[in-house]
Every structure is written in C-alpha cells, then in structure tokens.
Amino acid sequence: GSEMCIRDREKMFAGYPDVVNVDQLREMLGGIGYKAAYGLLHDGSIRFFKIGKAFRIPKINIIKYLQRNSEI
C-alpha cells in the first residue's frame, strides 16, 4: 500500500499539542484503554518523559510508532 508520510500524520493529529498526556495518547490511538497505553509506554514502543508523576509523550513519537506499526 501507499505509505502515509510523516507530514500526513502530523496533519491527522493537527488538533493535538506537540506534547500530549496519556488521555490524549489513548484518543490518538483510537480510544485504547489505560492498560494498553501504559503498556506501550513501559515496553519502549512509544518514548515519553515524565514531569513529576505525569507522563508526557511527544506527538512525533506517536507518529513514529504508527509509521513503524501500520500498513497505512
């Protein structure tokens, strides 16, 4: 299939800030559950950082994850 370029993915998530929280991550990945979201973060699939106890995920890392793991 035709590869969706990173620019297209960025447009897809244009309504989201450059750095998102876990709830936004869940929405971006189609409404996945908390367990699945934290699983992706903890197993290194999607890189993140923490501010205090709060997880923060750079949007580009979610786009890169989708690039690696989808046929779209």
Side-chain angles (χ1 to χ4, degrees):
S2 63
E3 285 283 317
M4 196 182 219
C5 74
I6 287 202
R7 236 178 242 130
D8 293 333
R9 295 255 186 221
E10 284 173 346
K11 279 185 208 149
M12 191 162 91
F13 295 133
Y16 290 92
D18 289 340
V19 177
V20 301
N21 62 29
V22 173
D23 283 328
Q24 290 165 318
L25 167 66
R26 291 172 57 227
E27 282 174 24
M28 292 167 84
L29 296 182
I32 64 171
Y34 282 103
K35 192 172 177 183
Y38 284 111
L40 289 170
L41 298 174
H42 286 300
D43 74 8
S45 295
I46 299 175
R47 296 185 62 180
F48 67 94
F49 59 94
K50 286 175 94 171
I51 296 176
K53 291 184 177 181
F55 286 76
R56 291 292 176 261
I57 308 103
K59 181 165 69 175
I60 191 66
N61 292 353
I62 300 166
I63 293 166
K64 286 177 180 171
Y65 168 76
L66 290 169
Q67 287 287 109
R68 289 193 307 270
N69 293 284
S70 72
E71 299 293 317
I72 298 169

